[in-house]
Amino acid sequence: IPPPTSLPPSTTIMHPSSAFRRTQTAFTKADPQTALRAFRQIVKSRVSARRFEPNVAVPDHVWRDVLRMTLRSPSGFNLQPTHLLLVRSPRLKSTLSRHVMLGFGNQYRTTDASAVAIFCSDLEPSKRVDRVYDMERKGGVREDGYMAVLRVAASFLTGEGSTHSPIMNGGSGSSTHFSTFLKQTFVSALSPVQPMPTMEHVESWSYKNAGIMAQMYTLAATAHGLSTCMMEGYDSRRVKEILQIPDRYGVPLMVATGYDYGAPPMSHANCSLDEDSKTWDDDVELHSLDEKPVTPRLEMNEIFFGNTFGEPLDLFVNEADRVKENVV
């Protein structure tokens, strides 16, 4: 199967949702039924791929758009506690397949997929609060009351401190820190009197947010005609070792992404340089959607990495270079 970009323009296959983002304002204001049909088509066409066509690259502009949509995923307190590693290196995919993945299906999907998206959950989300608070303050979208309680509420409700603390990592071996025990006792005592929040373990809270982001990623990839398969059968300790993921992060799931095996070759909708180089925060149409305020997001290079944790994703490096060249 030839690379997707090798098809002439006359054979371009346009998926029903390919122009959805560009015209979503018109859809929702003038023809909500059209928007509903487009989204329904995305949902109905999403299935777990059994096998991927090997050695087929996804165009860079498609990856960028998928990740931009993924960045709009909601999260608790807007802490955005999930990072995504887009592993496209054939060598690393082969290493993961041979030494990490469980079951033949996951092994050959990992090898053949165009990329494997590794979702990493922050198990110390309180370390993000100051960064997010500053971002929210500059964004000017939140009310003063929300900003006044953000730091305290985020620290109290994310369940941090209730994670397992193995002796080999310098911990006491206790599964629950005393501070979290006090929180749970306080909540349990008041719950019969008035509604109180559920005190989750930090893994539950952070993994839940990762699942939301993974679903957004999967639907965004499907909208571009890509096939996906969520995978959770792997040795997470080995994943972290191979991809240099710090102990602070868990790895709740992966999503293999590419093209269905044996499917007809396809081409994607092309974006102009100007549109392709914009971020969603620069998109006037998005801000005008029903005149709803848009909460800020962290920078793309803070959330998305390349083949290893913290490695810059060349999609954004190349994009910045192209924009600079265009300006010059």
Side-chain angles (χ1 to χ4, degrees), residues 161-166 169 173-177 201-203:
S162 60
T163 184
H164 290 280
S165 179
N169 286 336
S174 173
S175 63
T176 306
H177 290 225
H201 290 286
V202 67
E203 292 97 335

Side-chain angles (χ1 to χ4, degrees), residues 74-94:
S75 60
F77 305 104
N78 200 26
L79 291 183
Q80 303 164 65
T82 310
H83 295 275
L84 188 157
L85 278 64
L86 194 65
V87 179
R88 295 181 293 165
S89 163
R91 179 185 64 81
L92 276 178
K93 287 190 298 174
S94 177

Side-chain angles (χ1 to χ4, degrees), residues 215-234:
Q215 182 70 1
M216 183 76 83
Y217 168 88
T218 300
L219 291 176
T222 303
H224 274 283
L226 300 175
S227 296
T228 59
C229 183
M230 293 188 177
M231 304 182 295
E232 55 182 353
Y234 51 83

Side-chain angles (χ1 to χ4, degrees), residues 93-285:
K93 287 190 298 174
S94 177
T95 299
L96 292 174
S97 175
R98 289 183 288 112
H99 300 293
V100 170
M101 306 308 295
L102 305 177
F104 292 115
N106 284 346
Q107 290 171 355
Y108 62 69
R109 275 189 285 263
T110 299
T111 301
D112 293 343
S114 303
V116 179
I118 314 291
F119 290 83
C120 303
S121 297
D122 193 348
L123 303 182
E124 299 177 19
S126 65
K127 293 182 177 180
R128 317 175 78 87
V129 172
D130 287 342
R131 170 73 177 93
V132 171
Y133 179 88
D134 184 60
M135 176 191 68
E136 291 278 18
R137 182 179 55 81
K138 292 178 180 177
V141 175
R142 304 290 192 182
E143 297 178 352
D144 292 341
Y146 178 90
M147 296 300 296
V149 302
L150 174 59
R151 283 193 171 100
V152 175
S155 176
F156 186 86
L157 296 176
T158 55
E160 189 170 348
S162 60
T163 184
H164 290 280
S165 179
I167 295 176
M168 64 181 180
N169 286 336
S172 63
S174 173
S175 63
T176 306
H177 290 225
F178 184 64
S179 61
T180 301
F181 172 76
L182 291 179
K183 294 177 186 178
Q184 292 172 334
T185 301
F186 175 75
V187 167
S188 299
L190 288 183
S191 181
V193 180
Q194 66 182 56
M196 295 297 292
T198 300
M199 294 300 302
E200 299 178 287
H201 290 286
V202 67
E203 292 97 335
S204 299
W205 182 86
S206 195
Y207 284 13
K208 174 175 61 180
N209 281 272
I212 296 171
M213 184 175 179
Q215 182 70 1
M216 183 76 83
Y217 168 88
T218 300
L219 291 176
T222 303
H224 274 283
L226 300 175
S227 296
T228 59
C229 183
M230 293 188 177
M231 304 182 295
E232 55 182 353
Y234 51 83
D235 186 324
S236 59
R237 183 193 63 81
R238 292 188 175 195
V239 173
K240 294 171 69 172
E241 181 180 339
I242 293 171
L243 301 182
Q244 302 173 30
I245 300 172
D247 291 337
R248 170 179 164 179
Y249 298 89
V251 185
L253 78 162
M254 306 178 182
V255 182
T257 311
Y259 299 92
D260 264 331
Y261 181 79
M266 61 162 292
S267 181
H268 298 272
N270 291 317
C271 299
S272 66
L273 176 62
D274 289 340
E275 178 182 342
D276 196 31
S277 64
K278 288 194 303 183
T279 65
W280 273 41
D281 287 338
D282 295 329
D283 194 331
V284 177
E285 284 194 347

